[in-house]
Amino acid sequence: MKDFTEGSIAKQVFDFTLPIMLGNVLMSAYGIINLIWVGRLLGHKAVAAVAASLPIIMLLPAFLIGLGMATNVLIAQAFGRKDKAMLRKILSNSFFSSILFCLLISVVALIFRHELIELVQAPVEIRDMALSYLTIMMASLVFHFFINWMNGMLRGLGDATTVVKILIMLAVFNVTFVPLFIKGFGPLPPLGVAGAAWGSTLAALASGIIGYFYLLRFNPYINMRNWDYSLDWHIIREVFVIGVPASLQMLVVSLAGVIIVSLVNRYGTAVTAAFGIGMQVDMLATIPFISIGMASTTIAGQNLGARNMDRVYQTTRISIYVGLAIALVCTLVLLIFPEHIGALFLKESLEKAQVLSLVRDYYQWMAFIFPCFAIIFAIQGVLRSAGDTMALLALSFIAMFIIRIPLAYFLAGPVGFRQDGIWMAMLASSTLAVFLNWLYYKKGSWKKKKLMGG
């Protein structure tokens, strides 16, 4: 656990971002490893099936992730105020309200899984594979939630190193189980695309159990026997007041992703496969910016709790500078080596050259999106630390539904750029989002937010 209310901000941003970034890389190993194994062992149609279900898998847990963000903010501010009694209340009330919500989302997703697959207009030849993958991932959502909750709690306390240890274990289990379930072993028959989901499920279950008992030895706050179980509606209200807009923001982004995928799917399985590879690589390349944003949320959150605004402003500036340096590297690598990177996801086939050509076309536009991410995630991390998630929801809605989606349909259809028009629209909307977020940050209304004890 670390106190960020004193000391060098630059050093804290670097030191705290690095383990968060490593942890996020390991977390993203779920999707990357699954897609590589699926592509290598089963082919490009199986890749397209997983790609078609990914936006739904990202869409439905959005509320849970948002509630986790709210818990992170409340823990960081309480820790900055040195309020241990409030910490114990926040842990118990946020955990049980969130886990009940998780079970509700799983049930709803399983009931409407056929409609969700139809929503993304998955091509007929891959629909059954996509459905099997989605069903298993949604049924096992509670195991993935528990790991995310533990990691969010630890980050709020300034402990990103333990998060890395848990996620290393998760990645090792994932690497081991996924290919075994895809190809079968012993009496277990080959499970195909469904095997990738079963492998991830078992990895999450094992990591959650082992991780919790490991933490009992080192972290007094994780021990549920030490929590304050008195029902506190004020805490639950704050969790949902902060978390629901954060969830809706992610829901907006994910729903926009579903609509974009449904538009991409109109151009055939090769384009869908190229987009699926692009999404996975983008998720990996975006991790440094997400990590910087998460670090700035905790660092700024603790300093907001301690009412030290100068350190909050320093956190914003340094986070942006670090992000832009990383963005330059990402842009250059993806412009120079798009086909080499895409080839990692595909086995030899007649369609491989076509898919790789489409990946190259994708990055002629999308490689330039990362400087936008550097600025957006840093600013939003600080805004989130103040609990000003309603503004972030509004900004994301404008970027996605007022700009990105209408522009994508216009450029892909009437203008005639086809899938390239979609990539153009994604870059243009992110560029405009930079200016919207910066203007709101400079306006300063986020500084007036008051949370518990603030």
Side-chain angles (χ1 to χ4, degrees), residues 107-417:
V107 171
V108 171
L110 291 172
I111 292 172
F112 294 103
R113 61 190 184 279
H114 293 279
E115 289 79 4
L116 291 169
I117 288 295
E118 290 177 5
L119 180 65
V120 297
Q121 299 183 25
V124 175
E125 62 266 36
I126 64 171
R127 189 162 295 187
D128 288 343
M129 289 190 291
L131 182 64
S132 66
Y133 187 83
L134 175 66
T135 299
I136 297 162
M137 293 300 289
M138 289 300 98
S140 62
L141 186 61
V142 68
F143 305 131
H144 301 277
F145 159 76
F146 183 65
I147 291 175
N148 286 332
W149 180 86
M150 281 198 301
N151 293 343
M153 181 274 297
L154 289 168
R155 280 190 290 263
L157 295 171
D159 182 3
T161 303
T162 305
V163 173
V164 172
K165 295 177 182 178
I166 294 172
L167 293 179
I168 287 174
M169 177 172 56
L170 179 64
V172 169
F173 282 144
N174 213 50
V175 170
T176 304
F177 296 150
V178 166
L180 291 177
F181 279 84
I182 289 176
K183 297 297 289 184
F185 64 96
L188 181 71
L191 297 176
V193 171
W198 280 117
S200 287
T201 296
L202 184 58
L205 175 61
S207 299
I209 294 172
I210 296 172
Y212 176 75
F213 284 102
Y214 171 80
L215 283 172
L216 285 178
R217 300 172 55 195
F218 305 106
N219 189 310
Y221 296 107
I222 192 68
N223 192 336
M224 295 182 179
R225 289 177 296 181
N226 295 332
W227 289 357
D228 182 346
Y229 285 93
S230 57
L231 185 64
D232 192 320
W233 289 107
H234 190 193
I235 293 176
I236 294 174
R237 177 185 174 277
E238 290 284 2
V239 168
F240 280 88
V241 165
I242 299 170
V244 169
S247 297
L248 288 175
Q249 180 195 3
M250 299 182 66
L251 196 65
V252 163
V253 174
S254 298
L255 184 57
V258 170
I259 295 171
I260 291 294
V261 167
S262 68
L263 181 57
V264 170
N265 286 340
R266 297 180 179 184
Y267 301 103
T269 57
V271 175
T272 300
F275 184 51
I277 291 170
M279 281 196 300
Q280 289 294 340
V281 175
D282 290 349
M283 287 169 62
L284 185 62
T286 306
I287 283 173
F289 315 114
I290 295 173
S291 304
I292 292 169
M294 294 171 72
S296 65
T297 294
T298 299
I299 295 170
Q302 288 193 14
N303 283 288
L304 282 169
R307 300 183 181 182
N308 192 336
M309 291 305 299
D310 286 342
R311 293 178 63 82
V312 175
Y313 300 142
Q314 289 181 52
T315 301
T316 306
R317 289 195 301 272
I318 293 170
S319 297
I320 290 175
Y321 296 154
V322 174
L324 286 173
I326 295 170
L328 177 61
V329 176
C330 291
T331 298
L332 291 175
V333 169
L334 290 170
L335 280 175
I336 297 170
F337 303 109
E339 292 172 308
H340 297 82
I341 295 170
L344 295 173
F345 295 87
L346 298 169
K347 69 177 183 179
E348 292 298 328
S349 67
L350 295 175
E351 298 85 359
K352 182 177 180 179
Q354 179 189 7
V355 174
L356 292 180
S357 175
L358 290 165
V359 171
R360 183 191 63 234
D361 294 342
Y362 174 85
Y363 279 116
Q364 286 180 348
W365 297 98
M366 293 299 290
F368 296 99
I369 205 169
F370 299 102
C372 301
F373 290 165
I375 299 172
I376 291 170
F377 280 106
I379 291 174
Q380 291 194 352
V382 174
L383 297 179
R384 191 173 292 113
S385 74
D388 195 4
T389 51
M390 185 61 73
L392 299 183
L393 170 60
L395 291 167
S396 294
F397 182 84
I398 292 169
M400 294 297 164
F401 282 91
I402 305 300
I403 302 171
R404 176 170 296 185
I405 291 172
L407 189 58
Y409 273 91
F410 178 69
L411 294 177
V415 176
F417 287 128

